[in-house]
Amino acid sequence: QAADSKREQFRQYLEKSGVLDVLTKVLVALYEEPEKPNSALDFLKHHLGASAPENPELEALRLEVAEMKEKYEAMLEENKKLKTKVKVY
């Protein structure tokens, strides 16, 4: 009975989060395909967005992170030089 309770809780969780609706829609789309794809898994991945092109905003954030890392490294180097100068005085 405990297993059934956990299973029901998990089902409710999936339903509340919208996972069941999305999966149902994708499976219906696969069912309605006139010519079934060679790979049902690839079809699901494509329609669930797993293979969707990257979000441009995400790419911009990656670029910003890379720039910040460069600035951080430059600051560390400058800090090291300044510490050396302080030791001299």
Side-chain angles (χ1 to χ4, degrees):
Q1 182 140 1
D4 287 342
S5 174
K6 282 187 175 187
R7 191 174 296 138
E8 180 59 24
Q9 286 175 350
F10 185 65
R11 188 197 63 73
Q12 289 174 355
Y13 162 74
L14 292 176
E15 190 173 327
K16 284 181 186 176
S17 63
V19 171
L20 290 181
D21 284 340
V22 171
L23 286 175
T24 301
K25 287 177 185 175
V26 172
L27 291 172
V28 167
L30 178 59
Y31 176 78
E32 291 176 347
E33 276 291 307
E35 291 187 34
K36 302 297 182 234
N38 291 332
S39 172
L41 185 56
D42 286 344
F43 180 91
L44 294 175
K45 285 180 182 179
H46 175 75
H47 283 81
L48 289 173
S51 63
E54 294 258 336
N55 182 341
E57 187 176 317
L58 185 59
E59 186 56 38
L61 289 172
R62 283 194 178 122
L63 182 59
E64 185 178 349
V65 166
E67 290 171 2
M68 291 296 181
K69 283 181 180 179
E70 286 180 29
K71 287 181 182 179
Y72 172 74
E73 295 297 327
M75 292 289 206
L76 284 179
E77 191 61 36
E78 182 181 1
N79 189 357
K80 191 186 278 186
K81 289 177 184 176
L82 290 173
K83 282 182 178 179
T84 304
K85 284 185 180 180
V86 168
K87 283 183 183 178
V88 171
Y89 298 116

